[in-house]
Amino acid sequence: MKKIPSSNNGLIYSGYKFNFSSKVFAAILVAMLLLIVAVTPLQASYQELEGDDIYISALEEEDEYLFEVRGNALFKTKDFEITGGEADFHSIREELEFRRNVIFSSEDIWVSADKLFYELAQERALFSGAARLKYQGMDATAEEVEHLGQEEMLYLTGGVEGVRNGEEFSAREVEINLAEEKINLKGQARILLPGGGE
């Protein structure tokens, strides 16, 4: 698997398939990647974009590119890592979409889902389809999990069920304040305490 470093703190693109091995083409490609990273405001936080194959398409606006990662997709920063079957990254809008067997992991939070849509500039991640969250002794499932990084909030919606420190719970929605470590169960909320009490 080839890795082409774009800068010290920028993206590393892996898994390219070339139809020919021209040194001139490789030099142009590296120059293009350096330019893309240079115009991306969040370049310092990007570390790696990787996969079996990565297809780069120029879009309508100048310096606007779509990166399509197919097979064993990986997006990695110093704070978190995302893996999945495939991913798309839009360079100007700074939007990342992962599909199939998606796993997000950071120091405190682990989420799996069928799909992830991540707005990098807003630090907003929306997980959908068989979403599962693990956080500080909590293991819960929901239709959707939303993570707002700037606000330090987690929202679980749609048939939430789970266990936390031996207590089973369910609700229509669960709101987690990460900064204050507070959990709020909303709508038909129910907790089954250890020993069978409610």
Side-chain angles (χ1 to χ4, degrees):
M1 182 179 292
K2 288 186 178 179
K3 290 192 176 182
I4 303 174
S6 57
S7 71
N8 289 339
N9 294 317
L11 284 167
I12 297 174
Y13 304 94
S14 304
Y16 285 102
K17 276 194 172 177
F18 297 107
N19 292 329
F20 56 92
S21 59
S22 167
K23 290 182 180 179
V24 174
F25 176 77
I28 292 170
L29 180 62
V30 171
M32 184 180 75
L33 294 175
L34 286 169
L35 177 64
I36 293 166
V37 172
V39 300
T40 304
L42 295 180
Q43 65 172 330
S45 66
Y46 298 164
Q47 290 185 353
E48 193 168 344
L49 178 63
E50 186 174 307
D52 292 341
D53 301 307
I54 297 179
Y55 303 94
I56 304 171
S57 303
L59 301 177
E60 291 182 8
E61 298 295 324
E62 186 178 350
D63 300 324
E64 184 179 21
Y65 296 91
L66 175 65
F67 298 86
E68 298 173 279
V69 186
R70 298 297 178 260
N72 297 305
L74 167 71
F75 183 81
K76 189 176 186 180
T77 75
K78 64 182 178 64
D79 298 317
F80 64 84
E81 179 176 299
I82 307 170
T83 60
E86 59 184 33
D88 295 331
F89 174 66
H90 192 290
S91 65
I92 297 299
R93 293 201 305 254
E94 295 180 334
E95 293 174 352
L96 183 66
E97 184 177 326
F98 266 77
R99 296 175 294 277
R100 298 196 342 256
N101 303 316
V102 179
I103 295 178
F104 171 98
S105 57
S106 67
E107 185 177 347
D108 300 319
I109 300 167
W110 182 95
V111 185
S112 68
D114 295 332
K115 186 176 178 181
L116 163 63
F117 180 74
Y118 199 158
E119 295 171 301
L120 295 165
Q122 291 77 26
E123 296 181 35
R124 176 185 177 264
L126 181 63
F127 302 86
S128 58
R132 181 180 179 189
L133 167 72
K134 293 182 181 180
Y135 167 74
Q136 291 193 351
M138 172 187 286
D139 190 341
T141 59
E143 292 176 14
E144 290 186 345
V145 172
E146 183 176 21
H147 179 216
L148 303 180
Q150 294 175 355
E151 292 84 355
E152 296 188 72
M153 296 294 295
L154 273 169
Y155 299 96
L156 291 76
T157 56
V160 185
E161 293 183 351
V163 178
R164 182 176 182 270
N165 299 328
E167 301 171 354
E168 296 181 20
F169 66 89
S170 62
R172 281 200 308 263
E173 299 177 18
V174 174
E175 181 181 288
I176 303 172
N177 186 319
L178 300 172
E180 299 178 8
E181 297 185 2
K182 289 185 178 178
I183 299 172
N184 184 8
L185 308 180
K186 296 181 174 183
Q188 298 177 339
R190 179 175 179 267
I191 297 178
L192 183 62
L193 301 172
E198 278 188 66

